[in-house]
Amino acid sequence: MSNQIEKKIELKAPISRVWRAVTDYREFGEWFRVKLEAPFLPGKPVHGNITYPGYEHLRFEAVVQALVPEHLFSFTWHPYAIDPSKDYSHEPSTLVEFRLEPASGGTLLTVTESGFDKLPSERRLEAFRMNDGGWTEQMKNIESHVTQKP
């Protein structure tokens, strides 16, 4: 099993548009399907309610690690933390990075999530498998978002 998920997509939108979709908490919430309570700020936690059908009972909780304008946005979180009765705060977190680069047709967006090797062994494989599929869906969601709302 790999320790890292990586997804790439070339979006037909300028970097400034993709950056806004990734780092404006309201826009992020639209395509990621989470209602966030506050803007992303480096070093600060961000919380919100998941709005994705079937997961509405869950909270999104992350800590912003980096905000380098039009280049890098990253946060840490507890991957696939879907049991509302379980406290995941004692577990190691994974690092999610959004990297933006110019591309001939717009912007190359690379999303990586790393650190699965630090998760408890009983959760590691399922968290990796579910988030791998989740990031595939989220890449489609952000493409649709920036295409429909230029």
Side-chain angles (χ1 to χ4, degrees):
M1 185 187 108
S2 173
N3 179 41
Q4 177 174 297
I5 296 168
E6 181 175 285
K7 305 291 179 183
K8 292 182 181 231
I9 188 167
E10 190 170 314
L11 300 168
K12 293 181 176 140
I15 283 182
S16 59
R17 176 65 190 103
V18 176
W19 179 252
R20 194 173 76 230
V22 169
T23 60
D24 178 285
Y25 76 106
R26 291 182 194 101
E27 284 207 34
F28 181 92
E30 286 182 41
W31 63 265
F32 196 88
R33 298 187 179 178
V34 59
K35 186 167 178 52
L36 296 173
E37 298 162 357
F40 295 120
L41 296 170
K44 300 291 183 183
V46 62
H47 307 275
N49 292 322
I50 302 287
T51 60
Y52 193 86
Y55 294 89
E56 297 94 336
H57 62 290
L58 298 176
R59 296 272 297 161
F60 176 98
E61 297 183 6
V63 178
V64 175
Q65 300 299 310
L67 264 170
V68 180
E70 300 192 358
H71 179 66
L72 172 67
F73 170 59
S74 66
F75 59 79
T76 53
W77 69 350
H78 297 285
Y80 200 58
I82 63 158
D83 183 350
S85 67
K86 183 173 179 176
D87 178 12
Y88 295 93
S89 64
H90 66 284
E91 291 185 1
S93 55
T94 54
L95 174 66
V96 176
E97 297 176 299
F98 296 80
R99 294 186 181 276
L100 287 66
E101 300 171 48
S104 59
T107 303
L108 175 63
L109 173 64
T110 303
V111 177
T112 58
E113 182 172 3
S114 59
F116 288 93
D117 59 332
K118 296 176 185 144
L119 298 179
S121 58
E122 67 273 10
R123 278 193 3 92
R124 187 176 309 143
L125 182 58
E126 185 175 20
F128 183 89
R129 186 176 58 83
M130 295 306 290
N131 279 22
D132 188 52
W135 286 118
T136 298
E137 286 302 311
Q138 295 295 10
M139 299 303 266
K140 294 175 191 170
N141 291 346
I142 194 168
E143 181 178 40
S144 176
H145 181 80
V146 298
T147 301
Q148 293 173 4
K149 296 182 177 182

